[in-house]
RNA sequence: CGGGGCGUAGCGUAGUGGCUAGCGCGCCUGCUUUGGGAGCAGGAGAUCGGGAGUUCGAAUCUCCCCGCCCCGACCA
């Protein structure tokens, strides 16, 4: 491929667009790769579309290599299948809905589980046909409440979504593993640094789910990673390391104390350390010695409300994302002022666990953080205004209905696998593999006959790669202050050839080199603009980010050109006659 | 949806009641220049987001509307 800058539909910008915040958005816009059209909606210019297709093709090749078969569904979809799985409603405002001229409902596909399931149902009916893995690369539409970060989170975006169909869990495990392997190969080839983290399988009835995250400060996902072992998890899916139970025979009996004006954990800790009668002899009280009881209202899928109290150590906040993941498919809302009168057992500000639990008189469900194990002793609410209780011991003085992963994860928390400290980082979700189970097959009645002639519901998995997002993720991880630094594999073009100088010979030689490279399958973009000064050309070359920059200029009189490695910045003068073989080795 | 910021030419911006809305980049013409975003001269390009109002006079003040960005909520 040979592109000429003098005629290529490309305009680079000197300044960052005012609205852009993340590097990929700034650089892709400045480099003339993309243009924003509306919030979360982008156009690809020629060079951008070239890059996009390069990445898309790598993903396609890896999927095909793994034995997955490509299909293609429309984006414009009828309502009925989504009605059957209840997602017409469940997807809520995130679904782009529209009507045709006869007022019939349609939607723009946010994801295609239904369509894939129905297609398989349409054609297959025997266990002998399974396993089957099919995928597509398709534009998806989601009316996100807040698109952001340029291409990283759009409302219209491209996604590779694949689905596996198996007769049983064993088959699903194999299909899942195949995807895991294929994804590792794919992202490695794309030059993306990634980490595989455990994710929530959510309410889908699935048993396993992992995300591929590209570490990046602008990523939207927070995850933890063990400093020592291979444990890594999305923060929602982090499993708290449970301490062992403590013998409580020597812990003094509980005692209730007057603690006026202690609305916060801090004030409670302060007063406990200041007052002689409350002071601890061996050490000061800490926030972690208090048990904070947070009241919430759960709304179950059937619409019923149920209060829930969660007991967590006082040095932690409730992490809403973790909480929501833990209670899904129910949703939580804050406990409002009007709710309190309905539950007289709850004394606002002084809620304590003695009156809580399904077996207690209040019948209010009480769940505790996994760190609250038998034998732990706490300062907590006494259910009397202005009073707290001390030395309240779990297992001796109160019980819980179970534990819940709702407390925030902190740096230094210990790994549930090996006990080492965890680190916290952010990443871009570039892939997600997910054991769906039978939810969609069940809802859409996808069954096949097994070897005994019995009808079996098929077990499914779903697997996604954000294709357009991957373009941005590559830029996030591969750029410097001058511009993009494409990894060789994904670079839209291999060689950026700059003609620097005004002599006609420079341009003629450049043209010859460009032709020769193109003839030898080395793609080249030739900056043949005559009225543009060399400085502009060098800056553009660095902004656009092709891996090798070749300069034809003043060294031509010695029969040499300069080859610069965009990434390392190293330059080398190469004899013109050796250029082709030199570049062949590099690209 | 809550909080914050913003809307002036293709891009980046100046301009808090007063003359024809200014500057840089980019674009066009001519000359000149060609190894790190050149120079000179001339030029095109703006319903100042939209509407209503106040005023002798509005980009500037008031009200309403629209749009955009950021944080949060939300996000198989």
């Amino acid at each position: 491929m040979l592109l000429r800058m003098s005629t290529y539909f490309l305009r680079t910008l000197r300044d960052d667009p005012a609205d852009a915040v993340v590097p990929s958005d700034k650089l892709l816009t400045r480099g003339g790769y993309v243009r924003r059209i509306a919030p979360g909606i982008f156009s690809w210019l020629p060079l951008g579309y070239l890059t996009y297709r390069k990445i898309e093709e790598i993903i396609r090749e890896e999927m095909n290599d793994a034995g997955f078969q490509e299909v293609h569904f429309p984006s414009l979809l009828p309502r009925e299948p989504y009605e059957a799985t209840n997602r017409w409603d469940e997807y809520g405002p995130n679904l782009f809905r529209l009507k045709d001229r006869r007022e019939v409902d349609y939607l723009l596909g946010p994801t295609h589980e239904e369509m894939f399931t129905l297609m398989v149902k349409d054609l297959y009916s025997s266990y002998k046909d399974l396993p089957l893995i099919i995928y597509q690369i398709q534009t998806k539409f989601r009316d996100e409440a807040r698109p952001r970060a340029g291409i990283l989170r759009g409302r219209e975006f491209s996604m590779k979504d694949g689905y596996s169909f198996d007769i049983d869990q064993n088959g699903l495990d194999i299909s899942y593993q195949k995807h895991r392997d294929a994804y590792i190969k794919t992202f490695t080839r794309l030059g993306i640094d990634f980490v595989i983290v455990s994710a929530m399988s959510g309410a889908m009835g699935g048993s396993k789910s992992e995300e591929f995250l590209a570490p990046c400060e602008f990523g939207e996902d927070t995850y933890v990673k063990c400093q020592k072992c291979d444990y890594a998890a999305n923060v929602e899916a982090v499993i708290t390391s449970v301490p062992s139970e403590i013998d409580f025979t020597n812990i003094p009996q509980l005692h209730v104390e007057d603690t006026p004006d202690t609305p916060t954990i801090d004030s409670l800790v302060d007063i406990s350390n200041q007052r002689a009668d409350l002071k601890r002899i061996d050490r000061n009280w800490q926030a972690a010695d208090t048990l904070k009881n947070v009241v919430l209202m759960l709304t179950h899928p059937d619409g019923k409300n149920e209060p829930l109290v969660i007991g967590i150590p006082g040095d932690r906040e409730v992490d809403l994302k973790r909480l929501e993941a833990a209670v899904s498919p129910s949703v939580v809302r804050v406990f409002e002022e009007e709710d309190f009168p309905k539950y007289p057992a709850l004394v606002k500000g002084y809620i304590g666990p003695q009156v809580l639990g399904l077996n207690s008189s209040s019948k209010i469900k009480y769940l505790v953080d996994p760190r609250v194990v038998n034998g732990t002793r706490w300062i907590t609410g006494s259910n009397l205004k202005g009073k707290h209780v001390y030395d309240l011991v779990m297992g001796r003085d109160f019980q819980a209905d179970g534990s819940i992963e709702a407390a925030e994860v902190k740096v230094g928390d210990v790994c549930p696998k090996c006990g080492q400290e965890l680190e916290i980082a952010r990443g871009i979700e570039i892939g997600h593999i997910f054991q769906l189970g039978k939810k969609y097959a069940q809802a859409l009645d996808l069954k096949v006959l097994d070897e005994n002639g019995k009808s079996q519901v098929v077990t499914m998995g779903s697997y996604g790669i954000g294709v357009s997002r991957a373009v941005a993720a590559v830029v996030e991880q591969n750029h410097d202050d001058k511009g993009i630094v494409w990894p060789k594999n994904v670079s839209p073009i291999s060689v950026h050839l700059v003609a620097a100088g005004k002599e006609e010979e420079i341009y003629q030689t450049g043209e010859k080199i460009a032709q020769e490279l193109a003839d030898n399958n080395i793609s080249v973009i030739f900056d043949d603009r005559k009225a543009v000064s060399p400085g502009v050309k060098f800056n553009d070359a660095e902004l656009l980010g092709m891996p090798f920059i070749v300069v034809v200029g003043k060294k031509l009189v010695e029969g040499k050109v300069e080859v610069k490695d965009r990434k390392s910045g190293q330059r080398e003068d190469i004899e013109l006659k050796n250029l082709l073989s030199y570049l062949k080795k590099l690209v």
Side-chain angles (χ1 to χ4, degrees), chain A residues 16 62 78 102 121 171 227 288-289 353 383 385 409 415 480 524 564:
Chain A
D16 283 335
E62 291 300 326
R102 285 176 297 196
K121 180 184 174 183
Q227 297 182 351
D289 296 317
N383 303 300
K385 226 169 175 48
V409 176
C415 172
D480 59 22
V524 54
K564 182 174 170 183

Side-chain angles (χ1 to χ4, degrees), chain A residues 497-501 506 509-510 513 550-554 556 560-562:
Chain A
L497 178 64
V498 173
I506 286 173
T509 309
I513 294 171
V550 176
V551 182
V552 192
K554 60 186 181 191
L556 189 58
K560 286 180 181 169
V561 294
E562 179 182 301

Side-chain angles (χ1 to χ4, degrees), chain A residues 295-332:
Chain A
V295 205
L296 300 153
M297 188 63 93
L298 280 181
T299 305
H300 297 301
D302 61 9
K304 280 192 188 145
N305 285 332
E306 184 194 7
L308 168 68
V309 180
I310 297 176
I312 61 171
D315 61 335
R316 284 175 198 267
E317 299 298 328
V318 167
D319 181 322
L320 270 178
K321 280 191 177 179
R322 303 197 74 214
L323 172 63
E324 274 169 12
V327 300
S328 172
S330 301
V331 294
V332 281

Side-chain angles (χ1 to χ4, degrees), chain A residues 314-378:
Chain A
D315 61 335
R316 284 175 198 267
E317 299 298 328
V318 167
D319 181 322
L320 270 178
K321 280 191 177 179
R322 303 197 74 214
L323 172 63
E324 274 169 12
V327 300
S328 172
S330 301
V331 294
V332 281
R333 65 165 171 83
V334 293
F335 205 75
E336 279 156 17
E337 208 57 56
E338 307 84 78
D339 295 320
F340 277 98
K342 288 179 233 161
Y343 302 94
L346 301 174
V347 183
K348 197 178 174 208
Y350 298 91
I351 296 166
Q354 296 107 308
V355 300
L356 299 170
L358 294 171
N359 296 325
S360 72
S361 54
S362 72
K363 303 255 187 307
I364 295 171
K365 192 170 183 179
Y366 184 56
L367 299 174
V368 293
D369 184 81
R371 277 163 282 246
V372 182
V373 295
N374 280 343
T376 50
R377 78 198 256 214
W378 302 97

Side-chain angles (χ1 to χ4, degrees), chain A residues 387-399:
Chain A
K387 291 174 196 288
H388 280 91
V389 58
Y390 287 69
D391 294 322
L392 190 78
V393 174
M394 169 74 170
R396 181 186 75 179
D397 305 320
F398 72 98
Q399 309 288 336

Side-chain angles (χ1 to χ4, degrees), chain A residues 30-45:
Chain A
R30 279 187 54 207
Y33 286 85
V34 300
R35 298 294 292 175
R36 199 181 66 89
I37 295 302
I41 303 177
F42 288 81
S43 300
W44 298 91
L45 277 74

